[in-house]
Amino acid sequence: MAETLRFGRLPAATVHLCVDMQRLFAPGSAWAVPWIEQVRPAVATLVEARPQHTVFTRFIPPERLGAAPGAWARYYAQWPEMLRERLDRTWLELLPELARHVPPARVVDKPVYSPWHDGRLHRWLRRAGITTLVITGGETDVCVLGTVMGAVDLGYRVVLVGDAVCSSTDQGHDAAMTLYRTRFSQQVETAPLGEVLDAWAAA
């Protein structure tokens, strides 16, 4: 299925939701996502075009293992160096070319894959009259997946920028993109950055 904005131009009530583009997932980190280097220029281009309409999410690990609930405790037992009591806090920061746009861009911190877990983001978007989300970032099959599925459940129009999302594995990325394009074809659009910029500028 071709990547395109099948449901028309992007309305004024659109926000760019940029998922977890942090040093935590950049080269040098234990959680480095190799493809982040390929997509970060596209993400930066979109942020620079609409900084006042951008919301960044940041994945924030717990302070210590005892603060990790349920299965998350087992997860962090495998990654103890990523607990905040051991982690250099600068690793939590946004990539520098993105961080310089805050403000006017906003930042929402989250302890889990989904940014919708506590309702804060949804309440703010609704108060602002936002109906459409343009989503970029990583990982396509983890935090982006959690972001997309929550947005679908909440009724937002979801546009995934196909050349501005990434994963740790090609297999996971490709499987997730296939899922978005087929199983959720009426609720998720995938489109390249150029088309998104043109459609948003013309809105």
Side-chain angles (χ1 to χ4, degrees):
M1 182 179 295
E3 288 196 339
T4 189
L5 294 172
R6 299 188 309 283
F7 305 125
R9 296 184 302 179
L10 300 177
T14 297
V15 154
H16 170 205
L17 190 53
C18 181
V19 179
D20 301 358
M21 291 292 286
Q22 301 163 251
R23 291 192 59 219
L24 197 62
F25 304 106
S29 169
W31 282 349
V33 176
W35 278 98
I36 201 170
E37 291 299 289
Q38 277 66 45
V39 303
R40 62 192 290 180
V43 173
T45 295
L46 184 53
V47 172
E48 187 168 358
R50 295 279 180 155
Q52 71 276 26
H53 297 289
T54 295
V55 176
F56 295 108
T57 68
R58 296 194 310 171
F59 185 81
I60 308 295
E63 181 70 25
R64 58 188 62 84
L65 188 60
W72 283 104
R74 183 170 62 247
Y75 179 83
Y76 282 106
Q78 295 297 311
W79 300 100
E81 70 273 27
M82 307 309 280
L83 294 165
R84 294 204 318 274
E85 65 181 359
R86 304 188 188 184
L87 187 69
D88 182 336
R89 302 303 173 92
T90 62
W91 286 103
L92 302 175
E93 295 174 1
L94 296 170
L95 297 176
E97 67 270 31
L98 308 180
R100 68 186 182 89
H101 293 289
V102 180
R106 294 171 176 255
V107 177
V108 173
D109 290 341
K110 59 191 179 73
V112 293
Y113 299 144
S114 170
W116 310 108
H117 72 290
D118 64 2
R120 287 181 301 133
L121 177 61
H122 180 53
R123 288 192 295 271
W124 178 80
L125 292 170
R126 281 296 188 241
R127 285 196 299 268
I130 301 302
T131 63
T132 301
L133 300 176
V134 171
I135 297 176
T136 65
E139 296 186 49
T140 319
D141 49 343
V142 186
C143 290
V144 168
L145 177 63
T147 301
V148 167
M149 296 309 300
V152 166
D153 282 347
L154 292 167
Y156 292 98
R157 178 184 176 187
V158 176
V159 175
L160 194 65
V161 185
D163 48 354
V165 290
C166 63
S167 181
S168 295
T169 69
D170 291 348
Q171 182 180 15
H173 172 83
D174 293 345
M177 293 300 292
T178 298
L179 183 72
Y180 299 137
R181 293 170 182 144
T182 55
R183 294 285 288 173
F184 301 105
S185 61
Q186 294 303 307
Q187 294 166 307
V188 178
E189 298 159 86
T190 59
L193 175 64
E195 184 176 352
V196 170
L197 287 170
D198 289 345
W200 203 348

